[in-house]
Amino acid sequence: MNEILYLDHHATTPVDPRVFEAMRPALTGEYGNPSSAGHAFGRAAQKQVADARARVARLIGADPQEVIFTSGATESNNVALLGAAGHYAQPGSHILTEATEHKSVLSAVRHLEGKGLCAQILPVDPQGLLDPAAVRAAVTDRTLLISVLFANNEIGTIQPIKEIGRIAKEHGVLFHVDAAQAAGKVPIDVNGLGIDLLSFSAHKMYGPKGIGALYVRRKGPRVALEPLFHGGAQESGLRPGTLNVPAIAGFGKACEIALAEMEDETRRVRALRDRLEARIREGLTEVYVNGHPVERLANNLNMSFPYVDGGSLLAGLWQTMAVSSGSACSSDIPEASYVLKALGLGPERSGTSVRFGLGRFNTAGEIDAAADRVISVVTELRAASPLFQAWKSGRLAG
Ligand SMILES: *Cc1c(COP(=O)(O)O)cnc(C)c1O
């Protein structure tokens, strides 16, 4: 497996060796339950959790008390949306979100619609941006909450969070942001951005799987959530159950590293991403980048390769690299991604897309090898593609 290049960092990331080391004490000697405040084992575990909570809070400019540990961003999104609706909703309450949200937000919103809430899903422009003016126009006196994805997991488009946060504040509406792809990669200050609830996850930022956080604002306003689970006082009663101390310690370390190295890492990864795009463009005609050219995560490259069969393209790439398509291959017929559809892309673009997600440990040599492989697989498929031959002769004739 180590011969396969890993370029799927939007799906998950490897655990940074420094994170792994930070998890060791809680997995070996310091295995106490942080709820056992009386004895030394419990207190050592408590200290691990408190240190991690402070590090997680620092990454997003929050107070440690405002950080609730969860199992990941899916859970955080659900606790935020269902919890806010549970506490604040009245008949006819309205939720605003956008078409390219993560499935966990869209599904939670659908669930709330089933409970009688009114949801409005705003469209995005062809580059994936949500227009703040459209948000402003859609807010009514019944709007309870606006939920916006900070950075998209397929195309990397970064939304105008600050502008939308200002609109939410002006109207006294709660603002939830899914920052699973953005946290640790772009600066986040929950106060400066006007965010009331923020979801993120350790395994998208070189921490372990199964741990994440929900930021819940405590001042201006103090946000109240109806708990989804019952049984204990942990995490302000919002997430009862014994804390996963090793994972929490690792998450804290991952946040500390991300904050300290964000600028350097962003610069390095962006250069690799741009190199990958430039090399592919040198070797192939008719390739397209999906998403926003500038307002985009530094590690994201989502490209379409028209005139090839999307399934054959992936099969060819998967022999040497881990990348993902925009299509959910849950059946034999690949279904075009709802995100690419929301951009208005036709099947020739949405059905032939490849998502490259670069990461902390990728090297220039790996990127060059990936570009070479992409060029050779696409060239080979196009040589056998009647569509591509037709396009070429049409272009020659025209
Ligand atoms: C990965 C991801 C999630 C889900 O996070 P988990 O921790 O795997 O539950 C939610 N939203 C976005 C944008 C993601 O990329």
Side-chain angles (χ1 to χ4, degrees):
M1 225 172 53
N2 285 331
E3 269 107 76
I4 307 282
L5 249 172
Y6 192 76
L7 292 175
D8 204 11
H9 291 83
H10 298 296
T12 194
T13 59
V15 169
D16 188 297
R18 295 168 288 180
V19 168
F20 184 66
E21 282 311 316
M23 295 173 71
R24 190 185 294 277
L27 287 165
T28 51
E30 296 183 17
Y31 47 75
N33 187 328
S35 296
S36 313
H39 55 66
F41 282 86
R43 282 200 300 273
Q46 256 179 9
K47 179 168 185 324
Q48 297 237 20
V49 171
D51 288 351
R53 201 185 300 280
R55 290 167 164 179
V56 172
R58 200 170 304 131
L59 179 69
I60 58 167
D63 190 277
Q65 285 183 66
E66 298 175 307
V67 170
I68 303 297
F69 287 117
T70 66
S71 68
T74 299
E75 184 183 325
S76 296
N77 286 338
N78 276 275
V79 170
L81 297 176
L82 274 51
H87 190 270
Y88 295 102
Q90 282 161 8
S93 281
H94 176 226
I95 290 186
L96 262 180
T97 186
E98 106 272 10
T100 51
E101 283 292 309
H102 190 259
K103 281 256 158 78
S104 55
V105 166
L106 291 174
S107 302
V109 167
R110 290 264 170 271
H111 172 80
L112 289 171
E113 273 189 303
K115 301 273 178 194
L117 269 82
C118 190
Q120 192 172 350
I121 301 185
L122 295 170
V124 294
D125 76 7
Q127 299 175 326
L129 279 180
L130 175 61
D131 180 2
V135 176
R136 185 186 297 280
V139 173
T140 73
D141 52 9
R142 298 208 150 170
T143 307
L144 171 78
L145 177 138
I146 301 171
S147 186
V148 174
L149 187 56
F150 205 123
N152 185 270
N153 44 299
E154 290 188 31
I155 52 175
T157 298
I158 297 174
Q159 298 297 352
I161 295 296
K162 190 167 183 171
E163 283 84 340
I164 298 168
R166 197 176 305 131
I167 293 164
K169 284 289 145 300
E170 278 168 29
H171 292 84
V173 174
L174 291 178
F175 186 31
H176 168 254
V177 174
D178 175 351
Q181 294 292 337
K185 299 199 190 76
V186 299
I188 298 179
D189 171 24
V190 286
N191 293 311
L193 296 171
I195 294 169
D196 298 310
L197 295 156
L198 184 96
S199 302
F200 54 121
S201 184
H203 78 96
K204 302 287 176 74
M205 44 183 286
Y206 309 94
K209 293 169 181 60
I211 189 76
L214 176 64
Y215 158 79
V216 185
R217 176 172 291 285
R218 279 194 166 229
K219 264 201 306 238
R222 182 187 179 91
V223 178
L225 299 175
E226 171 92 1
L228 304 188
F229 312 114
H230 304 275
Q234 292 97 341
E235 303 305 278
S236 313
L238 281 173
R239 219 299 182 129
T242 302
L243 291 172
N244 184 350
V245 184
I248 288 170
F251 188 17
K253 188 68 184 174
C255 288
E256 184 187 65
I257 296 169
L259 186 61
E261 300 180 0
M262 191 181 296
E263 259 185 65
D264 286 349
E265 182 164 317
T266 300
R267 200 176 308 118
R268 200 185 68 84
V269 168
R270 176 178 288 125
L272 289 179
R273 189 271 312 273
D274 292 346
R275 179 183 180 116
L276 178 60
E277 182 186 336
R279 294 226 157 190
I280 292 174
R281 284 189 186 283
E282 272 167 32
L284 295 170
T285 54
E286 282 296 283
V287 296
Y288 298 90
V289 173
N290 303 314
H292 198 280
V294 180
E295 298 300 326
R296 177 164 57 129
L297 289 172
N299 71 331
N300 177 277
L301 180 64
N302 188 310
M303 276 188 133
S304 290
F305 303 90
Y307 312 116
V308 301
D309 171 63
S312 309
L313 172 59
L314 280 174
L317 295 179
W318 282 341
Q319 289 172 24
T320 66
M321 70 181 89
V323 289
S324 130
S325 73
S327 342
C329 298
S330 45
S331 65
D332 286 344
I333 309 146
E335 197 195 315
S337 127
Y338 69 92
V339 171
L340 298 183
K341 275 195 210 159
L343 306 184
L345 299 183
E348 207 44 76
R349 286 268 297 269
S350 64
T352 60
S353 73
V354 177
R355 179 185 72 180
F356 303 94
L358 281 65
R360 181 173 289 169
F361 304 111
N362 287 134
T363 63
E366 288 180 339
I367 294 309
D368 292 349
D372 288 347
R373 178 73 186 178
V374 170
I375 293 164
S376 79
V377 170
V378 173
T379 304
E380 202 170 299
L381 290 172
R382 280 181 173 172
S385 155
L387 268 175
F388 186 66
Q389 300 312 322
W391 171 82
K392 239 173 47 179
S393 52
R395 200 175 65 138
L396 292 178

